Structures are given as structure tokens and as C-alpha cells.
Amino acid sequence: MSHQSDLIATDIHAYLKAQEEKSLLRFITCGSVDDGKSTLIGRLLYDSKMIFEDQLAALESDSKKMGTQGQEIDFALLVDGLAAEREQGITIDVAYRFFSTDKRKFIVADTPGHEQYTRNMATGASTADLAILLIDARRGVLTQTRRHSFIASLLGIKHVVLAINKMDLMDYSEYVFRDIEAEYRTFAAELGALNITAIPMSALKGDNILTPSPEMPWYNGPTLMHHLETVQVEDARQSGPFRMPVQWVNRPNLDFRGFSGTIAGGTVKPGDRVKILPSAVETTIKSIVVHGGDLDEAVAGEAVTLTLTDEVDASRGDVIVGKDHPAEVTDQIEAKIIWMSDEPMLPGRPYLIKTANRTLPGQISDLKYKVNVNTLEHTAAKKLDLNEIGVCNVSLSDRIAFDPYAQNRDMGAFIIIDRLTNNTVGVGMIDFALRRASNIHWQALDVNKDARAEMKHQRPAVLWFTGLSGSGKSTIANIVEKRLFARGRHTYILDGDNIRHGLNKDLGFTDADRVENIRRIGEVARLMVDAGLVVLTSFISPFRAERRMVRELVAGGEFVEVFVDTPIEVCAERDPKGLYKKAKAGEIKNFTGFDSPYEAPEVPEIHVKTAEKSAEACADQIIAYLEANGYLSANGKST
């Protein structure tokens, strides 16, 4: 509901124009659980007369049924809309509310306080200009207070209202307020240049929300509403260089071709010289098209269609930038990452990286360190768990145009997507391009994979043997290689145990080390395929994501997954290396099949069952597949 005005009845056009010209402030409420975030927003809406009569009646009824304030109004119910939220008295999802006063328009995001919903808090903070950080005066600064403050600073929020709430339960003590404020400012000093305004209040009673509280005459600062209406928040995007990620190529007919998107930075006018990144092709803006006509100028935040004077190759995911101040282009970045999944982030595991309007395969190539949110110390780590924050190197499959997040949120942010579930598992803020990304280039070579394979009269491929320890992978791979060698094929075996004596001797058996183990083997196997070889690899390789990563390193048809399927009971009975016995005795940690998972292939090219066939018969099955699919013929066709 908007602020009430006499102009609504007398001059609706003047009212709409006045609303359009008001500035907009986006802010969030955050902090630990039960600090009063939802109650504060409900109180703001209630005291500002931003509630319809039927909403007020429903609120009064709901407060009596499920409220936490006895017969009094429970303001939190205004924004806690989910049934689970009302039943538990907590906020789970982000709730957005719009309201306005005669001075400003507001969009507020009520974010959860529970640690398990920190990912939702980060979502709300990503578009906010100001954060209201609530602290329960009875409990002071908590771990979640620090976590939310750190995340808010990471996401570029510079204005913080330190709302020390529930002062009514501490007899409106100035000492309590000053002590909490001092502790928080000491912590926040390490977060950078934050503009902190501390306000003592009671969201439930309304103290210092709209009007000064008579209970706290010792406080002479602004009320919360006065601060929200007057705080100066600059939109750095409009003063920065021009940026517009292309969202859609607009081609309604043969005579019109435009590039549509939302301007992410700066301003643009017809006649401006621009570049299309990452190709760096230069052209000129011909017109700025919007519904209703053309514009003489467009600024950050506006959705427009740009037409160009030249016929250039540009598509979704490209970025149109100012010629004199282009964005950076790279495929290797350093970024801060907030992990949002129950499944840990493992360096080397393949993910999808979505930045601006482009989605690319990529991986976190290195976790440099994670940040302790209590002390802000940097600690060594091999993975990121749920809600942990780390600084990482990220490798992408192709180049992207970007600005550091500190300069432009839209151009410097990305999300991380799990390739199997399509769930968003992390968010990232780009710091800078890694130097090696701009210094390293592919060297053109005259002798290529096809020439090497033709010389060997064979079709190169990776035969990827996967299965539990003791399933017979190495035995079968050895038999297959001997038969291929007897036919004059050029082969090589990469065996799990042998590789760990050299290339991977620095790796253990944690999930993170297993991922890195397969990543290295995949790169070596790719080089061997490029050399024209048939390479056989014998590794447990327990995770589907890593096997898919290796498959995507080589060309289509060059990866043959061989699932050596043997029940764990049979493997344990064979136990050729005595590993199962040690695992049962607790002498081996992270052993696949016991305390570390094995993800069986879903659709392998070859499926052999060693509990039903001998190793020789399994090898016969593999050779038959290779013959039928042209891997053993000189011209690559089926024999």
C-alpha cells in the first residue's frame, strides 16, 4: 500500500508523477533469530498507516490465534506469511514489502535469522542499499550478528543501522546500549568503511521507531524512520562506466535488429562509441528504443533496446561497454564465495557459473582460505561447508566480461549451480582477474590429434574403468590392454595405485583429495588422447560429477565409461589388499563403501558384472564393444 495523499482524489496524474520522482531505498533487516526483525517491519507498516483495514482485521484475529504477545497485536505476522513460519515463530524465507512515506519509497526485505537460512539472508542483501542489523539487548553481539554483518559488507552494503532492540526488557538502560554499540563498532572496524548509525529501540512498544521515546531521554539521535527517510545512498552504478549485458537479440522483422537488456552501469546516448565484449568489436549506438519511442539518454537500472550503426556479431551473454572504459575480460578470477549447500564445495569439482546473462562450465580451481566470521581470521581449508565463506580461484570454460564486485555489483557477481541437481549452491563476488589468465594463450601446433591418430592407425579414446575397491578394475584393464597391444594398438594404463606413487602422492583420501585426484588424471588422460593413444584408467572415481568432468574434457565418443559392477560383499570377501578388513576395524578412514560414498554410473557405455563373469569374459565383452563401435578399425568405422 502506498502513502495516502489528497492528490489521489483530486489529481491522480500529479500523484503518480510525485510518486515516480521519489527516491527509492532498498533495505534489509538481519541479525540473529528472535531479535525482532519481523516485528520491526510490522511495526513500521502499522505505525506508518500502510495496512488496509481488512489486513488489520486479519492481523488482530491471527494474533489471538497464533501470536506470541497474548491478546496484543503480533506485528511479526504481517511478514511471516508461511505456515511453518507462523507455527514456529521464525522467519524462513525472504519476505519483501513495499511502502512509502511522503518523502521516500521503500522496499524492505525481512531475512531469516537462523543459521541454516543464511543463504536467504544473502539473497535479500544482494540488492539492498542499507541493512538494519537487529541485536537483542539481552544477548548482545552474537555469532550470527557477525556473520550477517560480514555478508552484508561482502555484498557491498555500506550503510548499517545498528538497531539495539528490546530495550524495554533492559529498563531502557543507556549503559546496556553503549556497551553493545562499543563491542559492535570494534568488530565492524575490520569490515571496512561502514556508515553505522546506532539506535536504541523497542520494536514491540514502538520506542524510537517513528517518534522519539520518552523512556530514553539520554538518546538524542534520529528515529529509525527519520534515518531511513534522510540517509543519502548514492547509486555508484550511474556514475560508473557504461555497461549493458545483452539479454536478448530483438529481431521482430527483417528491418530491425536491437540488443535488449538492463543497463548495469553508467549512461548511454545515441552516437556513443561502444565495444562488444568479449570480442572487442567496436561500433556506435544508433538509437535507444523503449516502449513508446526512443530516448535521448538511458541510465543504469533502465531496461532498453540498443540499435547499432554496424552489423556486428553479438548475442545473449555478451556485454556492450563504453569504448574508452571497457570492462575486463578473463577466464580465471579470484572471488569471495558464500557456500549455500549442504553438500560441501570441493575444489576441482565441475559446476556451472552464471554471471550476468551467461552460464558457463567452470570449477573452483583453488580454495585459498576460508574466513572465520567471529574473528575474521583466514584459515586454511580444503572445502567449504554450508554458510562458510572463502576466497577462491575460479576457472571458467570461456572468457567473460566483468568488473570487480566492489565497483559494480551486477557485473561482478555470479552464482554457482550444481550440474546434476540444477540447484544454486553458492554465490560469488569477483575481486580481480588472475594475472596468468591474460598472460597465457593457446599455442597453435601443426601436428594435431587427428594426425597422430592416423599415424597410429587407430581411434584414440579413454576407457574409464570405475568400481569399488576389489571389483577387478585393474585386472580387467590389464587383460584388455594386452589384447589391444597384441593387435598393434598404442595404449597406456593409468592405474590408481601406481599414480599415487608419483603424480598424486601428495593427495589423501578425503572427498576433496579424491576430486583433485580425478581432476589430475582427467587432464593427463586428455593429453594422452591428444597424442592419439587409447588410454585405460583404473580408478574407483566414486563421484559422478568428476567422471562427467573428464568426459567433457575430450571430444564426443572419446570417453567410454566401463562400470565394473561388483557387490560390496563380494569385494569384501576378495579383499586383495586387506583394505576391507582394516576399514571394518576402523583403521582406514574415508573408505569407499563404508564411510565415503560411491555413486554408481547411471548409463555407462559398458557394464560388466564380475560376480557373474570371469575377468577374461568381461574383457571379451569390452573388446566386443570396441569392435562394434569402430575403436579397433584403422578408419574409425565399425568392423
Side-chain angles (χ1 to χ4, degrees):
M1 179 177 181
S2 298
H3 177 69
Q4 297 298 311
S5 170
D6 294 336
L7 287 176
I8 296 178
T10 60
D11 191 344
I12 187 63
H13 294 289
Y15 169 76
L16 293 175
K17 182 174 177 59
Q19 289 295 311
E20 183 180 355
E21 292 176 351
K22 284 182 186 178
S23 63
L24 172 67
L25 177 69
R26 295 176 179 268
F27 69 94
I28 64 167
T29 58
C30 55
S32 189
V33 64
D34 291 333
D35 282 344
K37 297 177 292 298
S38 299
T39 300
L40 175 61
I41 296 177
R43 169 64 76 174
L44 277 174
L45 298 175
Y46 181 83
D47 286 354
S48 302
K49 310 298 188 224
M50 296 296 131
I51 308 174
F52 290 107
E53 290 183 2
D54 59 337
Q55 288 179 308
L56 181 58
L59 175 64
E60 292 173 345
S61 175
D62 289 344
S63 296
K64 294 177 181 178
K65 294 178 182 178
M66 59 189 72
T68 59
Q69 305 301 323
Q71 295 301 306
E72 301 295 326
I73 292 179
D74 187 349
F75 296 108
L77 297 179
L78 276 173
V79 285
D80 285 344
L82 299 177
E85 293 178 322
R86 294 188 168 201
E87 291 170 0
Q88 301 179 55
I90 64 173
T91 299
I92 296 174
D93 203 358
V94 182
Y96 293 93
R97 292 292 182 271
F98 170 84
F99 68 98
S100 70
T101 67
D102 56 358
K103 295 181 179 179
R104 183 174 252 175
K105 296 180 291 186
F106 303 92
I107 295 177
V108 54
D110 181 30
T111 63
H114 281 260
E115 181 177 350
Q116 71 186 95
Y117 301 121
T118 298
R119 70 194 83 177
N120 295 348
M121 178 269 166
T123 300
S126 63
T127 58
D129 304 306
L130 177 146
I132 300 178
L133 184 69
L134 277 91
I135 294 180
D136 188 329
R138 300 169 300 171
R139 299 187 294 173
V141 178
L142 303 176
T143 297
Q144 195 71 335
T145 310
R146 296 184 174 93
R147 177 178 285 108
H148 282 191
S149 298
F150 184 44
I151 292 175
S153 69
L154 280 183
L155 292 170
I157 296 177
K158 300 299 182 184
H159 298 271
V160 174
V161 174
L162 185 64
I164 301 177
N165 192 29
K166 303 185 182 181
M167 290 295 294
D168 54 310
L169 300 181
M170 299 301 292
D171 297 325
Y172 300 102
S173 168
E174 180 179 7
Y175 171 78
V176 170
F177 170 73
R178 300 299 180 194
D179 188 51
I180 295 174
E181 179 187 11
E183 181 182 357
Y184 181 79
R185 287 186 182 275
T186 299
F187 165 76
E190 301 182 54
L191 297 178
L194 292 180
N195 182 6
I196 301 172
T197 300
I199 303 176
M201 64 179 63
S202 170
L204 183 64
K205 302 294 184 182
D207 293 290
N208 285 334
I209 305 299
L210 264 66
T211 58
S213 170
E215 303 291 344
M216 291 177 278
W218 45 266
Y219 173 72
N220 56 10
T223 63
L224 177 61
M225 182 59 78
H226 177 74
H227 181 72
L228 295 178
E229 289 181 329
T230 58
V231 62
Q232 296 299 312
V233 179
E234 296 181 358
D235 189 346
R237 298 181 306 166
Q238 294 189 9
S239 59
F242 172 64
R243 306 282 188 263
M244 194 192 84
V246 176
Q247 183 176 3
W248 176 46
V249 179
N250 189 347
R251 194 72 186 270
N253 55 60
L254 294 176
D255 299 322
F256 184 90
R257 184 167 181 256
F259 303 93
S260 302
T262 299
I263 299 176
T267 61
V268 65
K269 300 176 182 178
D272 286 352
R273 291 291 291 175
V274 295
K275 285 185 176 181
I276 312 296
L277 297 180
S279 66
V281 173
E282 291 188 18
T283 185
T284 302
I285 300 296
K286 181 179 179 181
S287 64
I288 305 171
V289 182
V290 295
H291 180 70
D294 294 355
L295 298 179
D296 295 328
E297 183 182 55
V299 301
E302 292 187 290
V304 299
T305 296
L306 302 180
T307 65
L308 308 174
T309 58
D310 305 298
E311 289 293 333
V312 300
D313 181 13
S315 58
R316 176 180 171 86
D318 290 343
V319 182
I320 304 176
V321 302
K323 170 184 174 294
D324 296 329
H325 300 284
E328 296 185 63
V329 176
T330 187
D331 60 359
Q332 305 280 334
I333 55 176
E334 179 182 291
K336 298 180 180 71
I337 289 177
I338 305 172
W339 197 247
M340 297 179 166
S341 173
D342 293 325
E343 290 292 323
M345 184 280 288
L346 300 176
R349 172 162 287 180
Y351 299 100
L352 293 177
I353 308 296
K354 187 177 187 303
T355 172
N357 292 322
R358 194 173 189 194
T359 302
L360 294 169
Q363 59 182 267
I364 289 83
S365 54
D366 181 35
L367 172 56
K368 303 179 76 171
Y369 58 84
K370 67 180 180 181
V371 181
N372 184 318
V373 296
N374 285 315
T375 64
L376 301 184
E377 290 180 321
H378 300 170
T379 58
K382 288 191 174 183
K383 64 178 181 176
L384 288 180
D385 291 316
L386 176 65
N387 296 328
E388 290 190 325
I389 300 167
V391 172
C392 307
N393 291 345
V394 181
S395 176
L396 303 170
S397 64
D398 199 0
R399 297 181 303 158
I400 60 167
F402 79 96
D403 289 310
Y405 185 85
Q407 298 177 15
N408 189 311
R409 286 189 186 184
D410 296 325
M411 291 291 296
F414 62 88
I415 62 173
I416 305 171
I417 302 170
D418 184 277
R419 303 188 66 169
L420 295 179
T421 65
N422 210 37
N423 291 333
T424 297
V425 294
V427 296
M429 289 72 67
I430 300 174
D431 289 331
F432 52 80
L434 298 178
R435 181 175 298 175
R436 66 171 178 268
S438 58
N439 292 343
I440 298 178
H441 306 276
W442 282 104
Q443 176 65 43
L445 302 174
D446 294 327
V447 180
N448 58 24
K449 176 174 61 179
D450 292 339
R452 299 183 188 102
E454 184 177 354
M455 183 183 72
K456 295 177 174 61
H457 304 291
Q458 65 184 32
R459 179 180 171 186
V462 179
L463 304 184
W464 191 276
F465 291 77
T466 177
L468 294 171
S469 176
S471 61
K473 299 182 300 299
S474 297
T475 300
I476 298 172
N478 189 48
I479 296 173
V480 171
E481 189 191 28
K482 285 194 296 184
R483 295 186 181 181
L484 292 176
F485 186 79
R487 294 189 181 203
R489 303 305 173 194
H490 297 256
T491 63
Y492 195 86
I493 283 186
L494 296 172
D495 184 79
D497 284 353
N498 294 346
I499 292 295
R500 283 187 177 271
H501 284 293
L503 177 65
N504 292 345
K505 66 180 179 181
D506 60 319
L507 299 177
F509 291 91
T510 64
D511 286 352
D513 282 349
R514 288 177 185 272
V515 171
E516 174 61 13
N517 182 53
I518 299 306
R519 187 196 69 80
R520 294 183 190 179
I521 296 307
E523 291 291 347
V524 172
R526 180 181 67 83
L527 291 174
M528 289 188 167
V529 168
D530 192 58
L533 299 176
V534 176
V535 55
L536 301 88
T537 69
S538 176
F539 295 85
I540 294 175
S541 51
F543 303 123
R544 295 190 189 103
E546 281 63 64
R547 298 196 297 267
R548 175 183 292 186
M549 172 188 66
V550 179
R551 181 184 293 272
E552 293 175 352
L553 286 175
V554 297
E558 291 182 347
F559 185 91
V560 178
E561 188 172 39
V562 182
F563 179 26
V564 184
D565 185 3
T566 309
I568 191 170
E569 297 81 10
V570 176
C571 293
E573 183 179 347
R574 293 175 181 171
D575 202 11
K577 303 173 186 175
L579 300 179
Y580 285 91
K581 181 179 180 181
K582 291 181 179 179
K584 290 179 180 179
E587 298 175 13
I588 299 179
K589 300 297 182 184
N590 303 310
F591 188 71
T592 304
F594 279 79
D595 51 356
S596 186
Y598 177 77
E599 299 173 357
E602 295 176 327
V603 189
E605 279 77 11
I606 304 174
H607 188 170
V608 299
K609 299 183 177 182
T610 63
E612 302 173 3
K613 293 182 179 181
S614 66
E616 289 76 11
C618 290
D620 290 339
Q621 181 181 340
I622 295 169
I623 294 294
Y625 175 90
L626 297 177
E627 289 177 336
N629 289 274
Y631 290 95
L632 301 186
S633 58
N635 58 9
K637 297 180 180 179
S638 299
T639 55

